[in-house]
Amino acid sequence: MQPSHLSTRRAGFHRNLARIVVGASVCVMCLAATVHGGGFNNNNGRAVGGVMIDASGIVRTATVDEKMDLANVMRGVVDQPQGEMAEVAELRMISLRKLQAAISESRKDGAPLPESISFLAGLQRIQYVFVDKENKDIIVAGPAEPWKLMDDGSVVGTQSGGAVLRLEDLVVALQSVEAARTEGITCSIEPTAEGRQRLAKLMRSIKLRPGQSPAVYEESMKQAFGLQTISLTGVPQDSRYARTLIAADYEMKRLAMALAQSPVTELPSYLQMAKNGRQNASQNPRWWMACNYDAMSRSEDKLSWKLTGQGVKTLTEQDVIDNDGKAKRGGRADKIAQSWADKMTENYEQLSRKVSVFGDLRNAMDLSVVATLIVQEELDKRAGLDLSVLSQPNDDIELVSYTLPKAVSPECSFVRGRSGWVVTASGGVDVNAFDIVQNQKTDDTAMTKLRSTALASTDSAAWWWNK
């Protein structure tokens, strides 16, 4: 498709999107391709998957109609991959040097970046990083698939259903390494102390009649609990990467507290598992997702690297709630909460293919580990490669700026046990890529052979190629 045709279609996208937004909200993990290199630019920038963020920064669940409306508009601008890119590849290589050149060339006439670049040639994971000193290059490689648009607006691989990696997340990961070194990449959604106090007072006043469902108090519980605040560190708060952290944390808690139906049979809600258990109102479970990788394999010369492991694990511990409503980490895990965390970890692969935001989260973690590896081990200097197009702000890649997230609209779910109520849970996401990069093991023969095979198949004219 010629750039002029694409620009016309994108202009139509903006007109249609404006009718959907009407000054309010758009899906927080939906938008995928690019207008100016980072993501569909809808001016208000409130878009990115199953949750919504309004003009005031309040996050809530997206309705089915809202997801479908946005997906219908996106169908007019997301092209299907062609040629070899339309095939499944066990291992697809991407040259970072040639990718930068392709980005700069695409932007010469002001045209939007093609989906092939925005979706990083359909990569599903990054498994390998190779330094090509002869060609002053760094090669990243992993399995790849053609992509398709889902009914909820997410973009996934046609074979596995896994989320595709995004150029804008790679850029944010590279540009955020130093900030992450200082403060870490984290996200948390926390109830306020005042909200906890109001809710505790309400719960003490509830006197259920025999057979009466506590659901009748749900609306008053929401009002008492109030908004939950969002905290982000390490990445720009207006980035798609940040939206991924928020949406994944939000959806994890919805699954745990039975506010969303689990799409995986082996992963029931925590509420189902805790029913009739011994609950303590002064303690609530906290869950968070963290990196879950094996030791990084490398060659002796540090020119070949391999990243393995599931990518994400779920951890838990108990929060102890003081009388003033403040939460303190208890340092111990409730057995049922630990069992739920283990089940989520065990079923994460399947879950990520059913709920794309969990695939997006793992992709973000992959990209942060790779970005940290490049910076920490100075792979760009070893290769003699200038990575400034990807690692420094510039006009070639204009990242979309999304509305700053501030708080989450309250949703209440609760279980009453023999000793009290559990009403909600805190938690978050912790992306500690430095720990992963520092955990290395040498596997010289295998890694050197892999590098030779990968570089031998290089197509001098293309920025990506298959093994």
Side-chain angles (χ1 to χ4, degrees):
M1 175 175 292
Q2 297 300 315
S4 60
H5 295 167
L6 186 56
S7 296
T8 300
R9 287 173 60 189
R10 293 281 168 82
F13 167 82
H14 293 315
R15 288 193 296 271
N16 290 330
L17 182 60
R19 290 197 292 270
I20 294 175
V21 175
V22 196
S25 310
V26 274
C27 279
V28 174
M29 287 304 305
C30 296
L31 297 190
T34 61
V35 169
H36 292 302
F40 284 122
N41 191 339
N42 66 353
N43 298 321
N44 292 310
R46 292 191 291 273
V48 180
V51 299
M52 306 286 284
I53 180 167
D54 68 19
S56 62
I58 306 302
V59 177
R60 65 171 175 84
T61 305
T63 68
V64 173
D65 287 344
E66 286 166 338
K67 296 177 188 179
M68 290 182 64
D69 283 345
L70 187 54
N72 288 336
V73 174
M74 290 179 65
R75 286 190 180 95
V77 291
V78 177
D79 289 329
Q80 295 297 309
Q82 304 295 322
E84 285 188 79
M85 198 172 289
E87 301 173 1
V88 174
E90 181 180 348
L91 193 64
R92 179 164 292 166
M93 272 67 68
I94 292 180
S95 157
L96 296 188
R97 176 176 64 83
K98 295 175 186 176
L99 173 62
Q100 290 189 132
I103 290 170
S104 297
E105 182 65 28
S106 294
R107 296 288 293 128
K108 276 184 178 179
D109 58 0
L113 295 179
E115 280 84 358
S116 58
I117 290 178
S118 298
F119 297 149
L120 292 177
L123 282 188
Q124 290 279 304
R125 300 284 309 269
I126 294 182
Q127 295 176 331
Y128 301 99
V129 179
F130 303 115
V131 176
D132 183 358
K133 298 178 72 172
E134 181 179 350
N135 294 300
K136 296 185 177 181
D137 205 354
I138 295 175
I139 312 298
V140 297
E145 300 175 18
W147 54 83
K148 63 181 179 180
L149 180 68
M150 301 298 288
D151 288 341
D152 64 355
S154 59
V155 180
V156 301
T158 56
Q159 183 180 69
S160 67
V164 297
L165 274 79
R166 308 294 185 90
L167 172 68
E168 58 189 309
D169 293 338
L170 170 60
V171 170
V172 169
L174 282 166
Q175 294 182 6
S176 300
V177 172
E178 294 307 323
R181 187 193 305 276
T182 302
E183 57 189 4
I185 298 176
T186 66
C187 163
S188 65
I189 302 174
E190 303 283 348
T192 65
E194 296 78 10
R196 284 196 180 99
Q197 285 182 305
R198 290 193 301 266
L199 185 61
K201 182 178 179 181
L202 173 64
M203 299 305 291
R204 288 193 296 269
S205 70
I206 291 177
K207 305 295 183 183
L208 293 177
R209 298 186 299 273
Q212 183 183 17
S213 170
V216 298
Y217 293 96
E218 183 173 340
E219 191 56 39
S220 58
M221 290 169 66
K222 288 182 181 180
Q223 293 179 10
F225 203 40
L227 297 174
Q228 299 180 54
T229 58
I230 294 172
S231 174
L232 284 161
T233 67
V235 293
Q237 296 189 13
D238 62 348
S239 66
R240 182 185 185 276
Y241 191 123
R243 295 303 175 276
T244 298
L245 302 182
I246 294 167
D249 183 17
Y250 184 75
E251 290 299 327
M252 173 184 65
K253 282 185 262 193
R254 282 172 50 78
L255 289 173
M257 303 306 289
L259 292 165
Q261 180 65 42
S262 173
V264 178
T265 304
E266 294 78 10
L267 181 64
S269 70
Y270 166 76
L271 261 62
Q272 288 175 278
M273 297 172 63
K275 190 176 181 180
N276 299 321
R278 183 172 293 279
Q279 311 301 331
N280 188 335
S282 66
Q283 293 185 325
N284 277 327
R286 169 188 296 271
W287 292 282
W288 69 98
M289 290 171 285
C291 292
N292 185 24
Y293 296 93
D294 303 326
M296 294 194 74
S297 299
R298 64 169 176 82
S299 58
E300 188 69 40
D301 59 11
K302 294 189 175 184
L303 298 181
S304 306
W305 301 81
K306 184 178 182 180
L307 181 64
T308 59
Q310 179 169 271
V312 184
K313 61 184 175 183
T314 305
L315 304 172
T316 185
E317 68 179 17
Q318 287 285 78
D319 275 350
V320 178
I321 312 301
D322 293 340
N323 291 332
D324 60 2
K326 294 181 180 179
K328 296 180 180 179
R329 298 222 172 167
R332 300 178 62 183
D334 169 75
K335 289 183 179 179
I336 300 176
Q338 182 64 63
S339 179
W340 188 85
D342 293 343
K343 286 181 181 295
M344 184 170 178
T345 300
E346 292 163 7
N347 292 282
Y348 196 88
E349 181 68 37
Q350 186 180 356
L351 182 64
S352 69
R353 299 181 189 282
K354 298 289 186 179
V355 183
S356 62
V357 68
F358 293 116
D360 282 316
L361 175 63
R362 181 168 61 185
N363 288 348
M365 289 185 175
D366 277 4
L367 292 169
S368 280
V369 172
V370 169
T372 303
L373 171 67
I374 291 172
V375 173
Q376 191 78 349
E377 296 292 336
E378 299 184 326
L379 300 189
D380 53 339
K381 294 181 181 178
R382 293 172 68 84
L385 172 64
D386 178 2
L387 268 179
S388 58
V389 173
L390 294 174
S391 64
Q392 300 295 327
N394 60 82
D395 293 336
D396 285 338
I397 303 178
E398 182 182 339
L399 298 177
V400 172
S401 178
Y402 299 99
T403 300
L404 293 176
K406 297 178 181 179
V408 171
S409 180
E411 294 185 67
C412 288
S413 187
F414 37 82
V415 59
R416 187 177 187 179
R418 295 189 298 272
S419 301
W421 295 79
V422 172
V423 179
T424 188
S426 300
V429 181
D430 182 8
V431 185
N432 193 339
F434 287 93
D435 281 356
I436 306 304
V437 171
Q438 290 171 3
N439 186 18
Q440 303 175 10
K441 65 178 182 180
T442 304
D443 189 359
D444 196 55
T445 302
M447 294 306 300
T448 300
K449 183 178 180 180
L450 275 168
R451 178 175 171 274
S452 298
T453 302
L455 299 186
S457 59
T458 301
D459 183 335
S460 59
W463 59 270
W464 65 271
W465 63 94
N466 296 333
K467 178 180 175 182

